[in-house]
Amino acid sequence: MNRLAAPLLIGLLGAAVLLWLGFWQMDRLAWKQGVLAEITATIDGDPQPLPVLVDPEAQRYQPVTLTGHIGDGALFVLVSVKRQGAGWRVISPFTTDDGRTILLDRGFTPVAEKSAPPRSGPVTLTGNLHWPDDRNDSTPENDEAGNTWFARDIGPMAEALKTEPLLVVARDITPPDSGIAPLPVSTEGIPNDHLQYAVTWFSLAAVWLLMTGAWIWRRLQGKD
């Protein structure tokens, strides 16, 4: 029996740790699903007025409905969209009926359309306030002179277009933009890999127990 104590102890302790990690990931999954549900509820909520005092944490994803005028000029942010490939996010100045000028993310247009100036004029739009986190350590610096942006850097964009440092990402524009498809904010880009991690830990626990069983069997057979 003493010969089985070590493999039993190691097997049970190892499996317990791996199972604990799996259940911890399941708890994280439930937490992340709650966060995503809260974000979705905010995105789809009732429209609110544009804020006078900006609080990115409290106002992130706040829905808005605005009428006003899309101004001349646009900035082009290089992006890649599933099933469509590379293209541009088109960022233009938008002046509301009450005289505020903000940044408007109009959506996606193919690479070849950069040379075609997007239309300006009066529109009604629905969208969401957003403070994007597009930039990481590998993101190139923007080529402002060539109007090729690699991240939606609100401060520099506001300076370039002479707007408030406030961005609305369009969900719908009426009349619709020709050749520009809205890319509304959503939870799609927020990672939620906790179920995958949980399955990995549970699988490792099963393998660990199988290996422990094989070790015990070898000892019973007198092979160790």
Side-chain angles (χ1 to χ4, degrees):
M1 189 65 182
N2 289 338
R3 300 179 64 207
L4 303 182
L8 277 172
L9 181 61
I10 293 171
L12 291 175
L13 285 176
V17 170
L18 293 169
L19 288 171
W20 178 84
L21 289 169
F23 286 118
W24 178 71
Q25 287 294 341
M26 292 300 293
D27 288 340
R28 295 290 292 174
L29 173 64
W31 167 80
K32 179 57 75 68
Q33 288 175 332
V35 170
L36 295 177
E38 184 176 343
I39 292 173
T40 299
T42 300
I43 290 172
D44 297 334
D46 295 331
Q48 303 294 322
L50 280 179
V52 176
L53 299 177
V54 175
D55 182 346
E57 289 305 316
Q59 297 157 359
R60 192 177 302 275
Y61 309 120
Q62 174 185 309
V64 294
T65 296
L66 303 171
T67 57
H69 183 95
I70 297 177
D72 294 327
L75 305 179
F76 292 86
V77 185
L78 188 64
V79 294
S80 180
V81 176
K82 287 182 180 179
R83 295 181 291 276
Q84 297 187 67
W88 309 97
R89 277 188 180 270
V90 182
I91 313 294
S92 291
F94 176 81
T95 302
T96 65
D97 284 345
D98 58 2
R100 296 181 64 179
T101 302
I102 61 172
L103 296 167
L104 174 63
D105 183 335
R106 301 166 68 169
F108 176 86
T109 194
V111 169
E113 297 300 316
K114 183 179 181 181
S115 59
R119 72 173 175 90
S120 58
V123 296
T124 298
L125 66 90
T126 60
N128 299 84
L129 299 181
H130 194 34
W131 286 264
D133 187 16
D134 296 340
R135 184 170 292 282
N136 56 44
D137 292 340
S138 61
T139 305
E141 291 301 315
N142 300 316
D143 176 13
E144 296 188 32
N147 197 4
T148 297
W149 298 68
F150 298 97
R152 288 171 293 175
D153 297 320
I154 292 180
M157 285 184 162
E159 290 183 12
L161 293 177
K162 298 179 174 55
T163 73
E164 295 182 39
L166 193 63
L167 175 71
V168 170
V169 180
R171 300 182 67 81
D172 180 74
I173 296 178
T174 305
D177 266 329
S178 176
I180 303 177
L183 284 179
V185 294
S186 71
T187 59
E188 184 176 339
I190 301 175
N192 184 15
D193 301 322
H194 297 294
L195 180 59
Q196 176 183 334
Y197 295 151
V199 170
T200 299
W201 289 121
F202 289 141
S203 299
L204 288 173
V207 171
W208 188 275
L209 289 173
L210 287 173
M211 293 176 64
T212 301
W215 187 8
I216 292 173
W217 181 83
R218 287 177 63 85
R219 289 219 162 180
L220 290 173
Q221 298 300 311
K223 296 181 180 181
D224 284 338

